[in-house]
Amino acid sequence: MGLMKSWVTSANRADTPFPLNNLPYGVFSVGDDEPRCGVAIGNMILDMAQCEEVGLISLDTEPSFDLPFWNDVMELGPEIWAQLRARLMELLAEGAAERTAVEPLLIPQAQAEMHMPLLVGEFTDFYAGKHHATNVGTMFRGPENALPPNWLHIPIGYNGRASTVVVSGTEITRPNGQTKAPDADMPSFGPCKRLDIELEMGAIIGGSSEMGHPVSVQQADDMIFGYVLLNDWSARDIQAWEYQPLGPFQAKAFATSISPWIVTKAALEPFRTSTPPREKELLPYLQEPGPLLYDIDLHVTMAPAGKDGTTIARTNYNQVYYSAAQQLAHHASSGCAMNAGDLIGSGTISGPEKSERGSLLELTWGGKEPLTLDSGETRTFIEDGDTLTLHGAAKGDGYQIGFGSCTGTIRPAPKFPA
């Protein structure tokens, strides 16, 4: 499939992340207006609340788009999702009969402020990148014990905090926490000294499952509404002290950033690919009915305050060992209920080469091998004022499917109350 032509001319450029092939969903506002649903097309946003008001789009429900989230649309299910996408394409395709009615409802992205595209119900972060898990395990346990015994059999994850999932552009405050130096008798409390990123993809759950009722991998894939870029910010020194025996807690709870646009599965369909070869056969409930992963190029830039960004890593979503559908199926396998608006993080995505590592922990090998940025400065972990940005796009023939950037700038830790 090549570029699909739109009468919105900026959508026909090969370098736009938002061609007609994409049509991702976000929430925006202009000036003092209330946030509402919009669809990205080229360098414009189609105001979905206005489309609904003038009768160009109707889902035969209560008003669905004059809202600051897409959750109501998610709950309508895959058939309605497909109808909505088909109608948007009809309105925005080259030669559209209703162009004159639609054109006044386009707003330049440059004039808009982006907001969280959904109300996040629950957030679960997985650990599904084999190269990342191997690298981290090698640092902490040695290469012979790098992967836990269960890793090749089960998608490992933990329940995170939905309350601190924020949209790209939100400043991130360095967390305080308890740490313990190897040679210290007692732990101490203060600002994190080893602040890190995790380059991930996030799956937005659009369907639901009942408590006590598992779902198949195929059913899980059908429940996924779309995908975002996701940075699960991590305080490595806090994590090292607190994580045994129950895993991540405060080291992860302080912030998770996502990109502002939800890219639908339909837009990503041409880029489906298989998960990596299995070293151990998976149990039947986790086996894939077909390709469930996506070929999405990813990279990370790091910019000190007032300086241009340096690309510090490049990798691809196809490196993930367990797809989002497998993660979701495993999540529901115990009878855990899943709901529209739940968010699932892939875990850090790293490739086999050093330049493909999706965290500073790996890139600097625990701080032992500092990075040199284009500005000449060096980094082992993130310093105050640094801006970290995740970028991602699936590359087609003369077009790309982009997500918008996922960025955050680090503010100093607050003084702890006396």
Side-chain angles (χ1 to χ4, degrees):
M1 178 189 295
L3 174 69
M4 302 171 68
K5 290 294 186 71
S6 170
W7 55 262
V8 181
T9 55
S10 61
N12 298 329
R13 294 170 53 99
D15 60 351
T16 180
F18 307 126
L20 184 63
N21 306 60
N22 193 349
L23 302 180
Y25 302 147
V27 169
F28 76 102
S29 64
V30 177
D32 295 330
D33 291 348
E34 291 295 316
R36 55 199 183 275
C37 293
V39 173
I41 177 74
N43 60 11
M44 308 296 282
I45 299 173
L46 179 62
D47 188 330
M48 293 297 290
Q50 287 294 311
C51 282
E52 189 172 51
E53 185 173 323
V54 301
L56 285 169
I57 290 179
S58 174
L59 299 184
D60 297 323
T61 64
E62 295 296 319
S64 301
F65 301 110
D66 194 12
L67 298 168
F69 46 76
W70 280 80
N71 297 58
D72 285 26
V73 176
M74 294 179 203
E75 294 175 356
L76 298 177
E79 184 176 335
I80 299 299
W81 305 344
Q83 291 175 13
L84 174 59
R85 180 173 173 82
R87 178 58 175 156
L88 287 168
M89 287 191 163
E90 182 181 30
L91 293 174
L92 294 167
E94 190 174 62
E98 294 162 288
R99 172 177 174 173
T100 55
V102 176
E103 202 158 8
L105 310 183
L106 291 173
I107 294 162
Q109 290 185 27
Q111 297 178 10
E113 178 184 354
M114 299 306 298
H115 304 269
M116 280 288 293
L118 75 157
L119 294 175
V120 178
E122 308 281 355
F123 169 49
T124 304
D125 194 42
F126 281 85
Y127 189 53
K130 183 170 182 288
H131 297 292
H132 170 71
T134 300
N135 288 334
V136 174
T138 298
M139 274 185 259
F140 294 157
R141 296 182 295 275
E144 66 283 351
N145 296 308
L147 291 179
N150 59 357
W151 201 93
L152 295 172
H153 299 275
I154 188 173
I156 299 173
Y158 71 93
N159 288 312
R161 291 288 301 178
S163 61
T164 43
V165 179
V166 295
V167 73
S168 173
T170 305
E171 291 187 329
I172 305 300
T173 300
R174 181 180 297 272
N176 287 298
Q178 190 178 122
T179 60
K180 183 179 179 298
D183 57 351
D185 293 330
M186 287 287 291
S188 60
F189 184 88
C192 162
K193 295 182 176 65
R194 292 162 68 91
L195 186 59
D196 201 358
I197 60 162
E198 291 193 336
L199 169 59
E200 305 190 26
M201 295 292 299
I204 308 295
I205 308 308
S208 61
S209 65
E210 294 182 41
M211 183 176 175
H213 292 266
V215 298
S216 69
V217 174
Q218 182 59 63
Q219 288 170 327
D221 191 58
D222 293 341
M223 289 168 61
I224 296 174
F225 182 67
Y227 290 83
V228 293
L229 303 177
L230 186 149
N231 181 359
D232 196 32
W233 302 89
S234 299
R236 300 300 185 187
D237 45 354
I238 297 171
Q239 184 178 357
W241 173 235
E242 75 175 4
Y243 84 104
Q244 298 188 52
L246 294 182
F249 184 41
Q250 297 292 71
K252 304 278 193 172
F254 64 97
T256 300
S257 299
I258 65 170
S259 52
W261 297 103
I262 302 172
V263 175
T264 65
K265 279 189 309 179
L268 292 171
E269 194 64 32
F271 305 96
R272 278 197 187 257
T273 188
S274 298
T275 47
R278 301 293 169 199
E279 296 180 33
K280 302 283 186 181
E281 184 178 4
L282 296 177
L283 295 178
Y285 82 100
L286 284 174
Q287 291 175 5
E288 304 128 298
L292 294 178
L293 209 53
Y294 299 96
D295 179 1
I296 301 172
D297 288 336
L298 303 166
H299 70 278
V300 183
T301 56
M302 186 176 196
K307 305 289 179 62
D308 292 336
T310 300
T311 298
I312 60 173
R314 291 185 181 275
T315 187
N316 193 292
Y317 187 39
N318 62 19
Q319 296 291 333
V320 173
Y321 196 79
Y322 296 101
S323 68
Q326 289 172 303
Q327 293 167 347
L328 177 55
H330 177 67
H331 208 327
S333 65
S334 65
C336 173
M338 307 302 297
N339 296 305
D342 287 352
L343 173 65
I344 287 181
S346 63
T348 306
I349 304 167
S350 297
E353 304 300 324
K354 182 174 181 178
S355 62
E356 299 175 287
R357 296 173 182 173
S359 68
L360 288 163
L361 179 67
E362 298 167 84
L363 286 165
T364 69
W365 208 249
K368 296 176 182 177
E369 302 172 9
L371 289 174
T372 299
L373 305 179
D374 292 346
S375 64
E377 298 172 67
T378 59
R379 290 288 187 275
T380 52
F381 291 94
I382 304 171
E383 297 186 7
D384 292 345
D386 288 347
T387 298
L388 279 295
T389 305
L390 313 186
H391 311 260
K395 305 292 180 62
D397 181 12
Y399 74 101
Q400 57 181 326
I401 302 295
F403 293 78
S405 60
C406 178
T407 187
T409 300
I410 303 303
R411 298 170 53 187
K415 291 183 178 180
F416 201 75

